Amino acid sequence: MNRTVELSKVRNIGIMAHIDAGKTTCSERILFYAGKTHKVGEVHDGTAVMDWMPQEQERGITITSAATTFEWKGHRITLIDTPGHVDFTMEVERSLRVLDGVIALFCAVGGVQPQSEKVWRQSEKYSVPKVAFVNKMDRVGADFFRVVGEIQEELGANAVPVVIPIGSAETFRGLIDLIAMRAIFYDEASLGREFRESEIPADHLEAARHWRANLVEKCAEQDDALLEKFLAGHDLTEAEILGILRRATIARRVVPIYCGSAFRNKGVQPLLDGVVHCLPAPNEIPPIICAREPEENRRNPTDDDPFSALAFKIVSDRHMGKLTYLRIYSGTLRSGETVFNSTRERPQRIARLFRMHANRQEAIEAAHCGDIVAAVGLADTRTGDTLCHEDHPIHLEAIEFPSPVISISIAPESQADADRLGEALHRLADEDPTFIVGYNAETKETIISGMGELHLEIIVDRLRREFNVAARVGPPEVAYRETATATVEGAYKHVKQTGGRGQYAHVVLRLEPTAPGEGFEFVNEIVGGRIPAQFIPAVETGVVAAMAAGPYAGYPVVDVRVTLLDGSHHEVDSSDHAFQEAGRAGFVELFSRASPELLEPVMSLEVETPEEFMGAVTGSICSRRGRIEAMDIRGDLRVIRGMVPLAEMFGYASVLRTLTQGRASFTMHFEHYEAVPDHIADEVVRKARERRNRRSG
């Protein structure tokens, strides 16, 4: 059970990118060259090891993050391959929360694309050091140096090429290592496993010297002693370059840039060397700090500190049951041990521990600081929970997930399906924090909500395949929100006498809007005991219940402040229930006078289209209440960027294919909520009320 690999030689990394940039293809080559697999898996024919779900193999996209561990030059690397589709951005979020470094993958043709920016911002949120890999150098239109410029300009990164390509598109045949100043050529017969180093071709020598000088200058800028040496006209040694490159990457002052073609088996080994040379070990990241007592409670990344870990992913395995993925930040965890869930304040027993290889498990007896493992037995643990030693409790910062933007109703096909549907939905919700299951008491419908049409489509498909549950689904509905736009005050008195003890509660409330995104705030300004302290929480509970139901159109209320100004109580007839009802009814009455407004999710949209279809595409976007914000050129394609309400985008993929003869593509992701125009809001509210009346009637 002792550590087999010293902590300084452990790397926990992920791969993040825009959809179809080649993340999984790159992962498959990494596993092949590291000797973890003996055959190259391909995404296009459904044989990729990391895309193990049937839905991933059929669609050729990554849906869930998959973890694996392998060895490279004496280092043990745990790799998490993340999805690129915006509907599954939650998988990227929770992976970045626990990783020490990340490979940012970019398409050499597409460059910095919308989801590239999204995942980059997510990595910055968690201060994750990065190396970049410009993939698909074999594609027509590939331009390594343009992508480097986009990384610098659009992402604000200090991008430093460590290698440059020899040729591009059909002429791409190898790399130039700027540190060693050697050319690298790959053997096609061995699928790139074998390669040779040689002198730099004469026609690339000038470019190599230019970019080598750029590398040396960028490194020298990071260290005063090296800068003095550089300014004196001296070159830096390989050891000096690697040393400062590592320190600057870990400090997030530079981003080393590599390139290649994973599909053509070129450039992956230097990338792996870059992971080892530039990205941090677990003992090179700062100590983790307790989310509640920052100055008093922290854990150093060593095996000697008390145990602490974060549960970042839940998976329902048909053979093993519930698998909980853990990142261990300090101490050692052993199979059969009892740990303390400080989030839920209850002990949990670790039945078994596994090291994961996609969907396959390798049983282990113990896990140490820096390890990413899966555990069986944590029945009461949820995503984002902290596990620790009971005598040394700590609360780690939880993971924040975006709210769902789309909903559908779901019902079982038969009574046999009805018995299994509820359990299956809640097991899926346990896995995915952005998948929400609710019940509409008025319409007597089960409502499921997610991040997009594809997200919910995958959920329904998994119900059928994994849980053998057939279900009918209703049409998709936008997750609208309601808010107030005016400040109002008023009193509400709840009085009910039914014989015996009655009900009495009197509240005076003020309702006012807050800034977008600030959420709900409840303020208590009661003085002199006009309402006893024990009844104050009941008023807030009633207000929250009314907000969830949405007095205007049945959608949740957001971004309001409710202040309890005054009120009165009865010594006998007042109760929690009475004040809860007063809070609920009082809020409903005030909200109707506060000029309520309907809010809708607005998506950022990017369309790539040949130039001849520009007019049709822009016209289609404008007809959907879209705003065109920018038009750019990317290779031989035109790129249209804009903002479009989600309500107008259902079925857009089919429309775009028709308009452009199938030659255009688009991506979109949630950006923010905006007010719905009055004439559309009136129609949405009318339909919502009709639907509620029809279903409840």
Side-chain angles (χ1 to χ4, degrees):
M1 292 192 298
N2 294 329
R3 176 181 288 280
T4 56
V5 177
E6 61 181 89
L7 195 55
S8 63
K9 293 190 175 181
V10 172
R11 301 288 185 272
N12 293 314
I13 66 166
I15 301 184
M16 65 179 193
H18 186 86
I19 190 170
D20 201 33
K23 295 179 300 302
T24 302
T25 300
C26 187
S27 298
E28 295 298 319
R29 269 50 179 192
I30 286 173
L31 297 180
F32 178 66
Y33 299 138
K36 186 72 176 182
T37 59
H38 303 291
K39 181 182 177 183
V40 175
E42 299 291 5
V43 173
H44 61 267
D45 59 16
T47 60
V49 173
M50 301 299 273
D51 281 351
W52 56 270
M53 293 176 64
Q55 294 86 353
E56 294 176 315
Q57 294 167 354
E58 291 169 0
R59 291 168 171 81
I61 63 171
T62 301
I63 292 169
T64 183
S65 56
T68 189
T69 302
F70 59 90
E71 305 287 329
W72 182 258
K73 295 187 176 179
H75 293 70
R76 190 177 70 206
I77 301 175
T78 296
L79 169 70
I80 296 181
D81 178 28
T82 66
H85 196 286
V86 65
D87 283 17
F88 309 105
T89 188
M90 172 272 303
E91 294 285 350
V92 183
E93 186 81 19
R94 61 179 167 193
S95 298
L96 289 172
R97 170 66 177 82
V98 299
L99 293 172
D100 302 325
V102 69
I103 300 169
L105 210 72
F106 299 90
C107 173
V109 180
V112 176
Q113 297 169 283
Q115 192 65 4
S116 309
E117 297 183 43
K118 173 75 172 177
V119 297
W120 190 278
R121 289 198 301 268
Q122 287 175 293
S123 71
E124 288 294 293
K125 172 182 174 182
Y126 294 111
S127 303
V128 182
K130 291 171 280 292
V131 299
F133 184 69
V134 180
N135 193 26
K136 301 191 177 184
M137 283 301 305
D138 60 307
R139 290 269 305 276
V140 175
D143 188 336
F144 173 74
F145 300 107
R146 174 180 58 80
V147 177
V148 171
E150 289 182 6
I151 295 171
Q152 292 172 331
E153 295 165 14
E154 298 185 29
L155 302 179
N158 187 10
V160 182
V162 178
V163 303
I164 61 172
I166 299 175
S168 65
E170 66 277 359
T171 65
F172 176 63
R173 63 186 193 276
L175 310 172
I176 296 173
D177 180 346
L178 296 176
I179 299 178
M181 284 298 280
R182 299 285 289 173
I184 304 172
F185 298 97
Y186 293 86
D187 176 45
E188 297 284 350
S190 66
L191 298 178
R193 180 177 280 176
E194 303 295 331
F195 57 88
R196 63 181 176 84
E197 294 186 356
S198 66
E199 296 294 327
I200 298 171
D203 57 340
H204 286 78
L205 192 55
E206 184 179 347
R209 287 171 175 163
H210 168 77
W211 286 102
R212 159 77 182 198
N214 174 77
L215 171 63
V216 170
E217 182 180 352
K218 294 280 190 179
C219 288
E221 289 173 354
Q222 306 299 321
D223 184 277
D224 290 342
L226 294 182
L227 181 60
E228 187 175 333
K229 180 179 178 180
F230 171 74
L231 293 175
H234 300 293
D235 196 9
L236 304 186
T237 66
E238 289 187 32
E240 287 173 331
I241 292 174
L242 287 173
I244 191 59
L245 204 58
R246 176 174 181 77
R247 293 193 296 274
T249 303
I250 293 174
R252 296 170 49 246
R253 297 196 301 268
V254 303
V255 178
I257 311 291
Y258 297 82
C259 70
S261 168
F263 183 65
R264 299 297 178 190
N265 310 305
K266 295 179 174 69
V268 175
Q269 293 95 327
L271 174 64
L272 276 172
D273 292 340
V275 166
V276 167
H277 291 318
C278 299
L279 293 180
N283 60 352
E284 293 175 296
I285 62 172
I288 57 167
I289 298 174
C290 182
R292 300 184 184 177
E293 302 130 2
E295 298 302 323
E296 303 170 17
N297 203 354
R298 63 179 61 207
R299 294 286 185 275
N300 294 305
T302 72
D303 294 340
D304 300 326
D305 264 32
F307 167 72
S308 64
L310 185 75
F312 69 95
K313 181 178 173 70
I314 307 291
V315 172
S316 294
D317 186 276
R318 64 177 62 190
H319 303 296
M320 304 301 301
K322 179 179 175 179
L323 281 172
T324 305
Y325 283 66
L326 305 174
R327 162 64 197 263
I328 300 176
Y329 284 98
S330 62
T332 300
L333 178 64
R334 294 174 176 82
S335 182
E337 205 169 47
T338 298
V339 297
F340 184 65
N341 184 325
S342 60
T343 305
R344 306 188 184 278
E345 299 189 341
R346 62 184 67 176
Q348 297 267 269
R349 183 178 179 275
I350 305 291
R352 300 177 69 185
L353 284 173
F354 299 98
R355 204 176 300 284
M356 299 300 298
H357 181 48
N359 63 329
R360 300 199 296 275
Q361 305 97 18
E362 173 195 343
I364 57 175
E365 288 299 313
H368 304 275
C369 172
D371 285 352
I372 292 178
V373 296
V376 172
L378 301 174
D380 296 324
T381 296
R382 302 290 181 266
T383 301
D385 285 4
T386 299
L387 300 179
C388 57
H389 194 287
E390 189 167 11
D391 295 335
H392 303 277
I394 190 171
H395 294 85
L396 305 184
E397 182 182 352
I399 309 172
E400 294 182 8
F401 296 108
S403 299
V405 296
I406 186 172
S407 301
I408 58 174
S409 62
I410 188 166
E413 288 278 11
S414 66
Q415 185 56 47
D417 293 316
D419 296 337
R420 298 189 299 268
L421 179 62
E423 179 186 353
L425 286 175
H426 284 92
R427 284 176 64 182
L428 291 171
D430 205 19
E431 290 186 20
D432 185 350
T434 59
F435 172 59
I436 307 297
V437 181
Y439 182 73
N440 190 320
E442 290 186 7
T443 62
K444 298 180 175 58
E445 287 181 319
T446 298
I447 305 296
I448 58 174
S449 305
M451 299 305 298
E453 290 181 275
L454 179 61
H455 186 195
L456 295 181
E457 181 185 325
I458 296 295
I459 291 290
V460 174
D461 192 46
R462 290 187 63 190
L463 284 174
R464 178 176 59 84
R465 296 192 190 207
E466 296 177 30
F467 299 95
N468 198 28
V469 175
R472 302 188 310 273
V473 297
E477 296 183 11
V478 175
Y480 290 103
R481 297 289 185 264
E482 301 175 17
T483 194
T485 61
T487 300
V488 293
E489 292 184 12
Y492 184 84
K493 191 174 290 186
H494 176 69
V495 181
K496 196 171 184 181
Q497 195 69 42
T498 58
R501 182 174 177 177
Q503 297 179 30
Y504 179 89
H506 171 221
V507 295
V508 180
L509 303 172
R510 179 171 64 235
L511 171 64
E512 54 191 319
T514 60
E518 285 194 6
F520 167 64
E521 182 183 1
F522 182 82
V523 180
N524 173 28
E525 292 187 358
I526 294 295
V527 294
R530 297 277 296 168
I531 298 177
Q534 67 265 29
F535 295 141
I536 304 297
V539 178
E540 182 177 1
T541 300
V543 169
V544 170
M547 289 174 59
Y552 183 38
Y555 299 105
V557 177
V558 297
D559 301 332
V560 295
R561 180 184 298 111
V562 175
T563 304
L564 180 58
L565 301 170
D566 199 0
S568 62
H569 72 289
H570 188 278
E571 292 293 339
V572 176
D573 291 347
S574 289
S575 63
D576 276 353
H577 174 75
F579 273 99
Q580 186 172 323
E581 180 60 24
R584 186 199 64 78
F587 178 86
V588 169
E589 187 176 290
L590 284 183
F591 193 77
S592 65
R593 296 194 283 114
S595 301
E597 186 174 65
L598 198 65
L599 305 175
E600 64 181 343
V602 174
M603 318 297 284
S604 61
L605 173 72
E606 181 178 287
V607 181
E608 287 187 341
T609 177
E611 186 172 9
E612 61 262 38
F613 304 113
M614 281 275 289
V617 172
T618 54
S620 173
I621 293 172
C622 293
S623 72
R624 294 169 181 267
R625 295 194 285 127
R627 303 190 300 269
I628 305 296
E629 297 192 334
M631 295 185 186
D632 299 313
I633 299 174
R634 182 177 291 159
D636 57 352
L637 295 175
R638 299 298 180 264
V639 181
I640 304 167
R641 295 189 180 94
M643 308 293 289
V644 189
L646 176 62
E648 305 290 344
M649 294 303 290
F650 296 130
Y652 183 66
S654 298
V655 171
L656 187 64
R657 279 196 298 269
T658 302
L659 289 175
T660 64
Q661 300 173 10
R663 296 169 62 191
S665 62
F666 79 99
T667 57
M668 67 178 185
H669 64 264
F670 170 72
E671 198 66 39
H672 56 261
Y673 273 88
E674 282 184 13
V676 180
D678 290 343
H679 68 286
I680 295 176
D682 292 342
E683 184 65 13
V684 171
V685 172
R686 183 186 65 79
K687 288 182 177 179
R689 290 172 178 170
E690 284 181 358
R691 190 162 54 247
R692 280 193 296 174
N693 293 336
R694 185 169 59 252
R695 289 170 177 172
S696 60

